[in-house]
Amino acid sequence: MVAIRPTAQEGVFTDGSWLYTRNPIPGRAVYGEELRTEAGVEYRRWDANRSKLAAYLKRGGRTWPFRETSRILYLGAASGTTASHLSDVCVRGSIVAVEISPRSFRDLVAVAEARTNLFPVLGDARRPTKYRAHAAGVDVLYQDVAQRDQETIFLQNMELVRTGGVGFLMHKARSVDVSAEPRTLHEKARAALSSAGLDVLDVRALDPFAADHAAIVARKR
Ligand SMILES: C[S@@+](CC[C@H](N)C(=O)[O-])C[C@H]1O[C@@H](n2cnc3c(N)ncnc32)[C@H](O)[C@@H]1O
């Protein structure tokens, strides 16, 4: 078996083919992922088919603002798959995880029970005033809501990010228009973010891991 070693991205490890994060709750998996122990450290396999942030890395994305102490606002956390890996990476920071579906939220709460840095919020990402008290001045916004108005939601929530902070918009083309070419829609989204005064750092298609999706990464001036 090939040894697990750190990557250049803080908190992310690899054995050459799979990505991993350190498991702060040994013995416990979140979504059935493989657990692997080496030199007394347990790692959770990070599946790029289940998490668009892992897909971003697998597709060569290298903008990585996540630090051990980072404060993250996560929109569309669902049952906590990606949020749990960010909780591993930002182990001394915090992840405010907003989810609108009560059913997914219940699963998210169960994941958060064992994690002291993951704070679930049952809420609508279109109404940031409801959670701004917990998220003002965050270092990173991560958004994966698959909604038609995803750009508007993103720009609204970038207001909560500190100057110099970074936003990840996991842009789903099919939520905007099922018949248009995804690349054209990703480019339109990039242009909208630039016009709003953000520095777009990366636009990266996530297929084959997440079809018709791109990660659009932007910095707040
Ligand atoms: C593709 S799933 C997210 C998967 C998750 N990010 C992960 O990687 O583990 C999209 C989620 O966004 C949620 N969502 C959709 N619209 C939302 C809104 N306006 N506010 C908050 N969450 C929303 C959905 O309920 C769904 O759980």
Side-chain angles (χ1 to χ4, degrees):
M1 202 182 278
V2 184
I4 294 181
R5 56 190 184 276
T7 66
Q9 287 67 52
E10 187 166 329
V12 183
F13 300 80
T14 186
D15 60 6
S17 41
W18 295 96
L19 298 175
Y20 297 85
T21 56
R22 269 177 100 133
N23 191 1
I25 306 134
R28 194 180 299 194
V30 171
Y31 54 101
E33 72 279 15
E34 185 199 316
L35 303 178
R36 209 174 126 183
T37 302
E38 263 189 42
V41 177
E42 188 175 283
Y43 299 88
R44 302 167 53 224
R45 188 191 272 182
W46 194 1
D47 187 346
N49 288 303
R50 302 282 300 272
S51 169
K52 291 169 202 112
L53 190 54
Y56 172 73
L57 292 174
K58 291 294 269 186
R59 289 300 320 267
R62 292 296 177 260
T63 302
W64 195 252
F66 305 100
R67 302 286 170 265
E68 216 175 71
T69 54
S70 295
R71 293 178 61 222
I72 315 292
L73 172 60
Y74 191 125
L75 306 176
S79 43
T81 301
T82 300
S84 69
H85 285 288
L86 280 177
S87 157
D88 294 352
V89 171
C90 308
V91 71
R92 293 190 296 121
S94 60
I95 299 103
V96 172
V98 180
E99 172 53 49
I100 201 168
S101 151
R103 196 183 173 288
S104 299
F105 184 75
R106 275 199 297 277
D107 297 339
L108 181 62
V109 167
V111 172
E113 262 162 15
R115 293 171 175 271
T116 53
N117 63 351
L118 181 57
F119 303 97
V121 173
L122 179 62
D124 185 346
R126 294 186 183 93
R127 307 191 69 188
T129 48
K130 296 278 182 194
Y131 49 82
R132 73 167 304 137
H134 310 293
V138 290
D139 301 301
V140 184
L141 167 65
Y142 182 89
Q143 179 182 312
D144 181 18
V145 295
Q147 291 288 351
R148 192 179 172 82
D149 57 342
Q150 54 201 318
E151 276 162 47
T152 310
I153 294 174
F154 183 76
L155 291 173
Q156 236 183 326
N157 281 275
M158 278 302 281
E159 296 288 323
L160 298 178
V161 174
R162 68 167 169 82
T163 301
V166 173
F168 281 72
L169 170 57
M170 296 310 186
H171 187 256
K172 184 174 183 180
R174 289 180 73 81
S175 295
V176 179
D177 183 340
V178 285
S179 56
E181 177 63 34
R183 195 142 43 115
T184 310
L185 297 173
H186 300 324
E187 274 309 314
K188 274 177 89 169
R190 170 221 276 269
L193 269 46
S194 292
S195 311
L198 299 174
D199 289 328
V200 177
L201 307 174
D202 199 1
V203 179
R204 192 167 293 270
L206 300 182
D207 56 284
F209 302 106
D212 303 331
H213 280 77
I216 306 180
V217 188
R219 189 185 303 282
K220 184 167 174 175
R221 285 186 197 143

